[in-house]
Amino acid sequence: MNGTREEAVEQQAYLTRFLLDHTLVPLAGRTFLRGVLPTGDAVRVVTGAADAEVEPAPVAYEIPLLDDDDEPLTAPLLLGWARTLAAGPASGSDASVMGMALVRVDTDTLEPASPSLADQALRVLRTLAWPFVEAPPSPALCGFLFTGPDSMRLYLAVEETDGLIAADVRLTGALTALLAALPSLVGEKERWVTDTGDPHCSHTVDLTAW
């Protein structure tokens, strides 16, 4: 993995870790975080209803990883923009990705929502409970997407490929055993399948029946 690629993976993993709590707490109204999709130079924040069968429909908002001064996107700023987008009117788009409307965000004109007291409390608790360590988890979780009531897709950086591996898993069943085996399972090339409908990964691994 080259230096530029490694830096992008680290930033995607950092943004994903920071936003995980907001899958359970609405960003605004009835709108939740439904995914964080990694691309080479941007992150796509997916918002929608907690229940895929009701409104609002999922929307993927694409935000660059670097600003005009080549400064990296920070997680608190990404959360503020996600809140503003979730609270605003439905965004029109003539682009789509994986069946969702894709909106490329002009951050120059977007005002981030101010952090709430709950955000500040989470920041304190997260810092104490999950302090920064030199060795990040391996494989690094660079994104995720809820794909059904009991399933999700995990985007993982593995050493065997420069692209990300998307692992489809179920949220029911032997989760403890699956999580323990996941690092080795996603590295087994015989399990890799190409998914032409997902531009966020190089290969997929179906572990829903594991």
Side-chain angles (χ1 to χ4, degrees):
M1 190 181 297
N2 62 43
T4 302
R5 171 67 179 154
E6 188 173 354
E7 289 174 6
V9 165
E10 288 179 0
Q11 189 181 10
Q12 293 278 7
Y14 150 69
L15 295 172
T16 298
R17 283 196 306 272
F18 188 93
L19 292 177
L20 288 179
D21 298 303
H22 300 280
T23 59
L24 302 176
V25 180
L27 290 168
R30 297 187 303 159
T31 302
F32 290 75
L33 177 72
R34 300 299 292 163
V36 177
L37 299 174
T39 72
D41 56 2
V43 61
R44 292 171 174 170
V45 175
V46 179
T47 67
D51 184 342
E53 301 299 319
V54 301
E55 295 292 331
V59 178
Y61 293 99
E62 182 175 293
I63 297 173
L65 289 177
L66 300 176
D67 64 17
D68 293 338
D69 298 320
D70 286 336
E71 291 296 321
L73 172 65
T74 66
L77 181 57
L78 177 60
L79 175 59
W81 278 335
R83 281 237 172 90
T84 297
L85 292 164
S91 301
S93 173
D94 56 2
S96 64
V97 62
M98 300 175 69
M100 301 175 288
L102 174 62
V103 177
R104 294 181 172 88
V105 178
D106 180 3
T107 55
D108 291 336
T109 63
L110 188 65
E111 190 69 27
S114 299
S116 67
L117 289 177
D119 292 335
Q120 301 292 59
L122 277 174
R123 188 172 184 178
V124 171
L125 297 172
R126 189 187 294 111
T127 300
L128 294 173
W130 297 337
F132 174 80
V133 292
E134 287 294 333
S138 181
L141 177 66
C142 295
F144 64 93
L145 181 67
F146 286 95
T147 53
D150 71 337
S151 62
M152 67 190 312
R153 174 165 283 194
L154 307 173
Y155 294 87
L156 301 159
V158 300
E159 293 183 359
E160 289 80 3
T161 178
D162 286 336
L164 297 179
I165 300 297
D168 291 311
V169 301
R170 291 210 173 276
L171 304 179
T172 52
L175 265 184
T176 300
L178 173 62
L179 291 173
L182 190 63
S184 60
L185 292 174
V186 296
E188 296 174 359
K189 295 184 180 181
E190 60 271 21
R191 294 181 180 273
W192 294 359
V193 176
T194 300
D195 182 351
T196 57
D198 188 345
H200 309 101
C201 61
S202 57
H203 303 285
T204 64
V205 174
D206 185 0
L207 301 177
T208 55
W210 191 84

